Amino acid sequence: MNIQLSILGAAAALISSFFLLRRRKISRLPYPPGPMITDMPVFDSWVHYRNWTKQYGSLIYIRNRNILIINDLQVADDLLERRARIYSDRESTPILRMSKIENINWAIQCYGDKWRKNRRFFQQIYRRATIDRFHPTQYKEVQLFLRRLFTTPSDFMEHTTALSQRNIYTAVYGLDIEANHYIARKTAKTLEEISKMLLPGAFPLLAHLPWLQFLPSWFPGCGFKHFAKQVGESLDEIWSLPFDLAVDNLKYGKGSSLIADLAISLEHKGEELHELKSMGLMSALAGADTTGASISSFILAMILHPDVQAKGQAEIDQVVGTDRLPTFQDRKSLPYVESIYREVMRLYPPLPLCVSHASIEDDVYRDCFIPKGCIVIPNIWAMNRDPERYPDPNAFRPERFYELPKGPFTGIDDISAFGFGRRICPGRHMADNTVWLTFASVLATFNLGKARDEAGSEIEVSGEFTNAFFCHPKPYKCSIVPRFPSAKELILAARDA
Ligand code: HEM
């Protein structure tokens, strides 16, 4: 017995000295090049990060903040996909810990069993094989969107927000929730606040003086404590409120829903019930703004590129005709529309800096040392504008996908707007369907153009985007008119479809 113990002890000592020696050896390697930054840029940071490439290359390490910025798709693929075991963690900052939102918002949960269970549960609902279950909701909501565009075209931005929110509330909770509903407003506000917490440079004082978190909230400079607490309470509320409504509706015979049906079947399983509620929360939180941003960017792109719009419309007229709306079955026959979709997602990724990943182990890449605990920022915006991969990268040119030898219908994971590796967006099949169907249906029925002022002159569109965590067009004006007389009938007839 004693001999066995000594052998085990010797083996353990050998293994730990091996790892110690290895760490010493690899930590002598240089870090990837990069600047020393006191305050990280908060606005247009993806542009700043891309501009650093000229000086430091596409892999940039900020040593005093332990932040790695990836500006290149190949590097993202090498690290976040192929070494996903190392790079699938999230950073747990003091502000996030204070808000206690990690417990139910698993998009920011650390890589571990809890996150794994939540994600597995979520994926069962949104996996590709069963994603068609959402088609009826998607048709219904897109048709409602068309009718609203027809009735009050100048409110198109509100209609876009409503479409992306309603799609989730109807599909998951069976609730008829408009954008001005308390739940929708609270969710949008909470998301805005959480995204503030996720910005690398957003709480500079706390980043420099982390011990401030232990002082009371009335102490000068500690207002962030109150903010964090209030975000935690808001999140709790939107975690429960729509869920309770959906369950009550089922109990009192007012209608069933995906989430309520599952809740009944999981009634006595506490942990799974928790995951179910988080599934609903995460759908609303992660799914609405991102989808809305893509649709808004599409409308803007069509105004600015009437030639592209006309080509998309011509393809639909030829393949679908003018007496019905496009369906998912038409998708594979509409390569130019697909190319428009891919180009919108390339140029205007709603989350230009993805959601930061973090590493759980020391690593060596291209002869450089990347330390454990490193925050990894995938700069999707820069990757999608890489001139080697996309010549003339700032031009909106769907032909770059249309003219590919294999055509535009490559896998959904080729759209790098959805992130990477084990953290890749698990709602992407749902998002892909909603966004595509909206683009195709709008092209089929409306002409989008610049609005005109009272004197009849075109109102210029700035083409500006928000520049913090989310990237979506700033408010702009637009003219939306049915393409031909029978388009009006098509839009209104869809009510009974
Ligand atoms: C156009 C629409 C969408 C875009 C561009 C988008 C993009 C993203 C991105 C970039 C991430 C981070 C991935 C990473 O860390 O590597 C993400 C995560 C996530 N998305 Fe989406 N998303 C969209 C729609 C949706 C929808 C509709 C849902 C739900 C139905 C959803 C649910 C989630 C969840 C739960 C996560 C967290 C995943 C995790 O941390 O493991 N997203 N999304």
Side-chain angles (χ1 to χ4, degrees):
M1 185 66 174
N2 274 346
I3 296 179
Q4 279 170 335
L5 274 179
S6 329
I7 294 175
L8 270 177
L14 211 67
I15 291 170
S16 55
S17 50
F18 168 79
F19 280 111
L20 212 70
L21 275 174
R22 182 177 172 271
R23 178 153 216 268
R24 242 183 241 154
K25 199 174 151 202
I26 63 174
S27 64
R28 266 189 240 125
L29 290 170
Y31 292 103
M36 297 290 257
I37 298 286
T38 319
D39 290 317
M40 294 291 285
V42 176
F43 300 111
D44 286 322
S45 38
W46 42 89
V47 182
H48 290 283
Y49 298 163
R50 195 268 317 264
N51 292 347
W52 290 344
T53 306
K54 288 176 207 131
Q55 206 177 337
Y56 304 107
S58 55
L59 184 67
I60 296 162
Y61 183 62
I62 301 169
R63 192 170 165 188
N64 59 325
R65 301 294 300 270
N66 198 15
I67 292 179
L68 186 76
I69 296 165
I70 303 180
N71 284 328
D72 179 86
L73 190 59
Q74 185 58 54
V75 180
D77 191 49
D78 289 345
L79 299 185
L80 307 181
E81 299 279 348
R82 288 169 209 270
R83 300 185 194 177
R85 189 185 63 75
I86 301 180
Y87 292 98
S88 298
D89 203 11
R90 298 274 197 228
E91 185 196 16
S92 176
T93 56
I95 190 87
L96 287 175
R97 283 194 298 278
M98 274 184 274
S99 68
K100 301 197 176 87
I101 60 174
E102 286 156 303
N103 191 31
I104 49 179
N105 178 349
W106 55 267
I108 51 170
Q109 247 166 29
C110 293
Y111 185 58
D113 278 348
K114 208 167 168 195
W115 164 78
R116 220 171 267 121
K117 277 191 193 149
N118 271 309
R119 180 150 176 134
R120 204 176 300 134
F121 192 100
F122 192 93
Q123 277 176 329
Q124 277 169 15
I125 308 289
Y126 288 104
R127 67 185 195 279
R128 186 202 296 268
T130 56
I131 203 68
D132 295 7
R133 70 162 91 179
F134 296 115
H135 284 178
T137 303
Q138 286 166 321
Y139 282 127
K140 189 168 146 268
E141 292 304 330
V142 170
Q143 286 162 8
L144 176 63
F145 177 62
L146 297 182
R147 288 202 296 281
R148 287 178 169 178
L149 288 185
F150 174 72
T151 322
T152 45
S154 55
D155 295 336
F156 72 99
M157 286 199 124
E158 283 82 351
H159 301 331
T160 305
T161 307
L163 163 65
S164 51
Q165 293 174 338
R166 287 183 58 86
N167 202 36
I168 298 290
Y169 288 118
T170 316
V172 177
Y173 295 101
L175 296 176
D176 189 8
I177 284 187
E178 292 294 357
N180 61 0
H181 189 286
Y182 177 75
I183 292 178
R185 281 189 290 117
K186 187 89 188 176
T187 307
K189 176 101 196 313
T190 310
L191 177 64
E192 198 186 310
E193 290 167 341
I194 294 177
S195 47
K196 253 186 226 158
M197 292 179 166
L198 296 177
L199 279 173
F203 293 89
L205 198 59
L206 189 59
H208 293 305
L209 311 169
W211 48 264
L212 281 177
Q213 64 186 292
F214 304 112
L215 298 180
S217 57
W218 51 259
F219 197 81
C222 292
F224 56 81
K225 286 196 90 162
H226 176 69
F227 173 76
K229 183 166 173 276
Q230 173 247 310
V231 175
E233 287 166 0
S234 300
L235 198 73
D236 264 344
E237 191 182 356
I238 54 171
W239 186 59
S240 296
L241 201 53
F243 177 82
D244 293 345
L245 278 176
V247 172
D248 278 355
N249 281 348
L250 184 67
K251 269 192 197 152
Y252 300 115
K254 288 196 216 155
S256 63
S257 61
L258 175 69
I259 207 160
D261 289 345
L262 286 167
I264 300 299
S265 66
L266 298 174
E267 204 153 28
H268 303 293
K269 298 185 181 163
E271 199 180 327
E272 287 182 28
L273 209 58
H274 188 283
E275 284 155 17
L276 176 66
K277 280 174 81 172
S278 288
M279 180 281 291
L281 171 79
M282 292 317 298
S283 307
L285 212 56
D289 233 47
T290 41
T291 305
S294 305
I295 297 168
S296 219
S297 299
F298 158 75
I299 297 178
L300 180 66
M302 292 304 97
I303 302 173
L304 295 175
H305 305 281
D307 50 326
V308 170
Q309 182 181 174
K311 274 172 99 170
Q313 290 169 332
E315 186 180 66
I316 291 180
D317 292 351
Q318 200 193 351
V319 174
V320 179
T322 53
D323 55 357
R324 69 172 177 88
L325 291 171
T327 66
F328 289 115
Q329 283 71 39
D330 298 315
R331 185 163 179 176
K332 281 274 149 67
S333 314
L334 296 169
Y336 194 77
V337 174
E338 184 72 22
S339 307
I340 294 178
Y341 163 63
R342 302 271 168 152
E343 186 68 340
V344 169
M345 299 306 275
R346 177 187 77 84
L347 264 182
Y348 313 117
L351 293 172
L353 294 180
C354 196
V355 180
S356 301
H357 289 220
S359 67
I360 55 165
E361 252 179 38
D362 290 341
D363 195 18
V364 173
Y365 180 67
R366 294 187 179 169
D367 295 328
C368 289
F369 174 59
I370 300 172
K372 171 183 173 173
C374 180
I375 300 150
V376 182
I377 304 181
N379 189 352
I380 294 180
W381 185 89
M383 294 176 206
N384 289 357
R385 287 170 190 245
D386 175 356
E388 303 270 305
R389 214 171 273 274
Y390 304 106
D392 195 7
N394 295 325
F396 184 84
R397 219 177 64 80
E399 283 71 14
R400 68 177 84 244
F401 293 104
Y402 189 73
E403 289 162 2
L404 284 176
K406 52 188 174 181
F409 296 106
T410 58
I412 186 174
D413 294 351
D414 284 345
I415 304 175
S416 61
F418 292 116
F420 307 93
R422 295 185 190 171
R423 287 283 184 168
I424 193 169
C425 173
R428 63 196 182 287
H429 300 295
M430 168 82 158
D432 176 71
N433 282 343
T434 309
V435 173
W436 179 86
L437 187 68
T438 309
F439 289 11
S441 306
V442 169
L443 283 171
T445 46
F446 290 105
N447 278 327
L448 309 170
K450 288 183 183 160
R452 291 185 182 272
D453 62 19
E454 279 160 15
S457 313
E458 280 187 344
I459 301 174
E460 278 318 310
V461 174
S462 78
E464 281 181 330
F465 283 75
T466 57
N467 57 0
F469 185 74
F470 283 103
C471 181
H472 49 79
K474 289 189 178 168
Y476 58 95
K477 294 221 179 313
C478 165
S479 140
I480 303 179
V481 285
R483 284 181 57 211
F484 36 80
S486 61
K488 182 179 157 191
E489 270 105 72
L490 203 58
I491 296 160
L492 297 178
R495 184 194 303 265
D496 309 316

